[in-house]
Amino acid sequence: LFVLNQAQAIEGAVSAYFALDSGVPSGLVFACFMTATLLGSCIYGHLSELRYRLEGILSAAIIISAVALGAVGSLCSRESNLVGLSASFFLFEVMAGIAKPSLSCLRSKYLPIKERSILMTAFSTVFNLLVFVISLSNHLIGDAGVWWAASVLLVFAFFGLLQLRRIARHEAIENAPRTWRRVRAKLETIARVMQIRRLVQGIAKQAEVEGVE
């Protein structure tokens, strides 16, 4: 939805801010968006180094993106909204730069390898269908309605991520005894190996002493 509608929103804001015949430097706008996305990726890397949880990073990025697109929906009906619209778009692109690597890591964490392609295809189909329906409804809900719809979808994604975190936490609590048993078995195995090693070393030293005598 952002890709399909951002150019129209920027053109309307530029025309209202400068003059009716003002052109939009699309290349410069695209370069600024990509710079904002790169900034978001750098922020994600810094947060990962600080050991922040992926779910928390993605939750913050999704809710801030929803606020940014909601602000775009509010600004579409106002005149001279170029500054606010640009700030909202850049904020959304920064959050997109944070969300993309987070989503990639979470896919590898939660989706099984064998079923990952099927699940991603199903999600992509539903996503593209929603984009298609909302885009066709543009003449009914207007430009502001499109942005509000995108914001609402992000809110749903936020609550879905919260539910995923609850499920993962519940499974971790249930699997904690099993995990502890595995850890304890490994520790016992290591202890046995260390005992055998000490025994072998003692026998070797005793053999050396007897050989010297």
Side-chain angles (χ1 to χ4, degrees):
L1 290 175
F2 174 81
V3 175
L4 295 176
N5 295 278
Q6 55 88 16
Q8 182 179 355
I10 292 176
E11 288 177 0
V14 170
S15 298
Y17 191 84
F18 292 103
L20 294 177
D21 57 348
S22 296
V24 178
S26 300
L28 180 61
V29 172
F30 178 78
C32 292
F33 284 162
M34 293 300 99
T35 302
T37 304
L38 178 60
L39 175 62
S41 298
C42 294
I43 293 174
Y44 167 79
H46 182 65
L47 294 176
S48 298
E49 291 178 355
L50 295 177
R51 302 298 182 183
Y52 283 95
R53 290 179 59 86
L54 289 174
E55 293 85 352
I57 296 173
L58 185 58
S59 298
I62 289 175
I63 202 65
I64 294 174
S65 299
V67 173
L69 294 187
V72 173
S74 300
L75 293 170
C76 279
S77 58
R78 300 179 184 178
E79 296 182 356
S80 302
N81 57 1
L82 181 60
V83 176
L85 198 69
S86 300
S88 299
F89 280 151
F90 289 143
L91 179 60
F92 174 79
E93 284 294 324
V94 171
M95 294 303 107
I98 296 175
K100 288 178 181 178
S102 302
L103 286 171
S104 298
C105 294
L106 289 179
R107 278 198 295 266
S108 61
K109 180 179 179 180
Y110 289 108
L111 298 182
I113 296 177
K114 294 181 179 180
E115 292 82 9
R116 188 177 301 171
S117 59
I118 299 175
L119 292 174
M120 290 305 302
T121 302
F123 281 120
S124 299
T125 302
V126 175
F127 172 75
N128 292 328
L129 181 61
L130 286 173
V131 172
F132 180 73
V133 172
I134 294 174
S135 299
L136 289 181
S137 304
N138 194 355
H139 64 286
L140 296 176
I141 61 178
D143 294 335
V146 171
W147 294 112
W148 279 111
S151 179
V152 170
L153 290 176
L154 285 173
V155 172
F156 280 127
F158 173 74
F159 285 110
L161 182 59
L162 291 181
Q163 183 64 25
L164 179 63
R165 292 179 64 180
R166 292 192 190 98
I167 294 173
R169 189 180 299 113
H170 181 68
E171 290 181 350
I173 293 174
E174 288 184 347
N175 294 331
R178 186 185 307 170
T179 303
W180 169 243
R181 285 195 296 269
R182 292 177 180 175
V183 173
R184 186 172 60 184
K186 289 183 179 180
L187 291 176
E188 291 176 353
T189 302
I190 294 173
R192 293 193 189 97
V193 171
M194 296 299 295
Q195 290 177 356
I196 294 172
R197 183 177 297 177
R198 293 193 191 98
L199 180 61
V200 171
Q201 290 177 353
I203 294 173
K205 290 181 180 180
Q206 186 176 1
E208 290 178 0
V209 171
E210 292 178 354
V212 171
E213 291 178 354

